[in-house]
């Protein structure tokens, strides 16, 4: 059952004609140690991001195969990357970020988790200068594109993805899209303020303001390989995903069981979050068989 405030947001977004202007992130590259710590803490296994990380992990697992090389663009503290790498020990992962403090957090986490299949590289995702043409089997990126300074950088990032990807390679890119009204942004930014550190709430607020519009994404999509599709949440498209067709040759039962066990063990409020995310993306056309 939808709450009255949530219904109001839906109606406001459907019937608003304007759209708030984009406000770029105060920290494009996240290297303020306090913010890095707040983001890292809120993201770890039991943090507020747990259902979102699980959702994205399942979609990425649809696209990758044993023996392949897979790149996480703007990996941050590697919480998302660590989860995907743990689920796929026979795949090699490279996390890319431009912030040294984030890469330090990522490396510490990778060591702590004893993930031998992950390394990190400092690089700008709009250039990917450290990667050869046609050299990687798949790329993914979660909740990071809104850190790019402008639409040109978004297009450059998509071109760089196409350049480094082998033909038919896997692509999964998920991020926020800009809501139409400032009131709706406030509603989502402060929705879970009582469950998370204040700095993380503020970070979410900045992210929603910095999100690209659907038009920006549609325009930039022309730079991606043609086998990548664009999806958005049904009715309230404040999250979007680009996903290529599934290319995993064999889904082991163990992978499916592990993902479903993690889902079953989420606390009640996170179960509601992942159910909403799955359902609203499913109505927008994005599905995976790896979650219940
Ligand atoms: C909100 S964090 C997302 C981290 C991670 N993908 C996740 O889902 O938790 C955004 C990250 O993008 C990085 N970043 C911003 N601009 C970048 C760029 N041009 N190239 C590489 N990394 C960048 C920031 O340093 C930060 O670590």
């Amino acid at each position: 059952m939808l709450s009255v405030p949530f219904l109001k947001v839906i109606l406001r977004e459907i019937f608003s004609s304007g759209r708030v202007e984009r406000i770029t992130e105060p920290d494009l590259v996240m290297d303020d140690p306090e913010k890095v710590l707040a983001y890292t803490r809120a993201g770890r296994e039991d943090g507020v991001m747990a259902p979102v990380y699980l959702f994205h992990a399942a979609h990425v697992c649809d696209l990758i195969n044993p023996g392949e090389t897979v790149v996480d663009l703007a990996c941050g503290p590697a919480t998302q990357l660590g989860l995907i790498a743990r689920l796929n020990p026979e795949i090699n992962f490279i996390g890319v970020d431009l912030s040294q403090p984030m890469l330090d957090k990522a490396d510490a986490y990778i060591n702590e988790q004893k993930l031998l299949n992950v390394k990190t590289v400092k690089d700008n995702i709009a250039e990917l200068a450290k990667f050869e043409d046609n050299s990687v089997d798949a790329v993914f990126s979660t909740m990071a594109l809104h850190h790019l300074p402008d639409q040109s950088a978004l297009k450059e990032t998509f071109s760089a993805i196409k350049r480094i990807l082998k033909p038919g390679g896997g692509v999964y890119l998920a991020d926020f899209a800009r809501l139409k009204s400032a009131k709706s942004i406030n509603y989502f930014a402060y929705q879970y303020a009582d469950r998370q550190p204040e700095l993380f709430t503020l970070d979410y607020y900045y992210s929603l303001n910095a999100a690209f519009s659907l038009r920006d994404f549609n325009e930039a999509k022309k730079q991606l390989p043609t086998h990548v599709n664009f999806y958005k949440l049904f009715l309230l498209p404040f999250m979007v995903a680009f996903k290529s067709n599934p290319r995993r040759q064999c889904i082991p039962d163990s992978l499916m069981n592990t993902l479903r066990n993690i889902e079953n063990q989420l606390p009640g409020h996170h179960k509601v979050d992942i159910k909403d995310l799955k359902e609203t993306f499913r109505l927008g056309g994005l599905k995976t068989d790896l979650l219940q």
Side-chain angles (χ1 to χ4, degrees):
M1 186 64 186
L2 297 177
S3 67
V4 173
F6 190 62
L7 266 174
K8 274 190 184 166
V9 177
I10 295 181
L11 292 175
R12 191 186 305 120
E13 286 296 309
I14 291 176
F15 293 109
S16 274
S17 52
R19 184 178 298 272
V20 288
E21 288 290 310
R22 177 169 194 248
I23 306 171
T24 49
E25 281 272 0
D27 305 287
L28 292 174
V29 175
M30 293 174 77
D31 41 21
D32 173 336
E34 256 191 79
K35 290 181 187 163
V36 169
L37 191 62
Y39 189 81
T40 305
R41 284 210 181 121
R44 288 303 185 230
E45 296 336 61
D46 51 350
V48 68
M49 299 276 285
V52 181
Y53 282 139
L54 182 61
F55 178 84
H56 296 321
H59 281 282
V60 173
C61 286
D62 273 341
L63 304 177
I64 54 182
N65 288 291
E68 291 187 338
T69 298
V70 176
V71 176
D72 178 3
L73 302 175
C75 64
T79 314
Q80 177 75 82
L81 175 59
L83 173 59
I84 296 171
R86 260 195 313 282
L87 292 165
N88 297 281
E90 64 302 340
I91 297 178
N92 296 310
F93 294 90
I94 306 172
V96 175
D97 207 284
L98 205 45
S99 153
Q100 194 55 52
M102 274 298 190
L103 288 172
D104 293 344
K105 279 271 175 290
D107 289 338
Y109 185 58
I110 290 160
N111 284 335
E112 180 195 304
Q113 296 282 312
K114 301 187 174 46
L115 292 168
L116 302 176
N117 56 336
V118 188
K119 60 178 186 169
T120 59
V121 172
K122 189 170 181 185
D123 203 353
N124 183 348
I125 60 168
E127 293 170 7
L128 296 175
K130 306 251 168 80
F131 294 84
E132 304 272 324
D133 296 1
N134 301 321
S135 61
V136 309
D137 299 285
V139 297
F140 69 92
S141 176
T142 55
M143 320 327 281
L145 296 171
H146 62 274
H147 278 262
L148 292 166
D150 51 32
Q151 214 210 350
S152 304
L154 183 67
K155 286 184 183 170
E156 283 158 21
T157 302
F158 285 10
S159 296
I161 291 173
K162 189 173 176 182
R163 178 181 66 73
I164 67 166
L165 203 63
K166 292 181 188 170
V171 177
Y172 181 78
L173 313 169
D175 199 16
F176 303 112
R178 200 154 72 255
L179 288 155
K180 288 183 182 167
S181 120
K183 277 190 185 166
S184 311
I185 290 181
N186 277 331
Y187 173 83
F188 284 114
Y190 290 93
Q191 194 181 17
Y192 299 132
D194 56 339
R195 303 189 200 155
Q196 63 200 21
E198 199 185 333
L199 269 178
F200 188 80
T201 299
L202 209 55
D203 185 63
Y204 189 23
Y205 173 78
Y206 290 140
S207 301
L208 292 176
N209 277 292
F212 287 104
S213 66
L214 294 178
R215 190 189 293 175
D216 293 335
F217 281 120
N218 271 313
E219 189 55 34
K221 181 182 182 298
K222 294 176 191 158
Q223 312 301 320
L224 286 173
T226 50
H227 66 289
V228 180
N229 304 305
F230 184 39
Y231 302 96
K232 41 194 181 296
L233 292 182
F234 181 65
L235 276 183
L236 248 165
F238 76 105
M239 268 178 84
V240 294
F242 293 87
K243 188 180 181 188
S244 53
N245 298 328
R247 57 186 285 286
R248 186 144 192 149
Q249 281 146 22
C250 161
I251 304 223
D253 287 346
S254 56
L255 175 63
M256 179 106 85
N257 292 338
T258 308
L259 280 164
R260 292 182 174 197
N261 280 341
I262 302 175
E263 192 177 358
N264 281 333
Q265 282 164 19
L266 288 172
H269 56 282
H270 283 174
K271 278 205 180 100
V272 172
D273 290 347
I274 197 164
K275 186 168 165 283
D276 288 351
L277 196 57
K278 278 189 298 188
E279 195 52 24
T280 39
F281 256 130
R282 193 184 61 76
L283 290 168
L286 178 70
K287 319 182 244 265
T288 173
D289 292 335
L290 285 173
L291 295 170
Q292 287 156 29

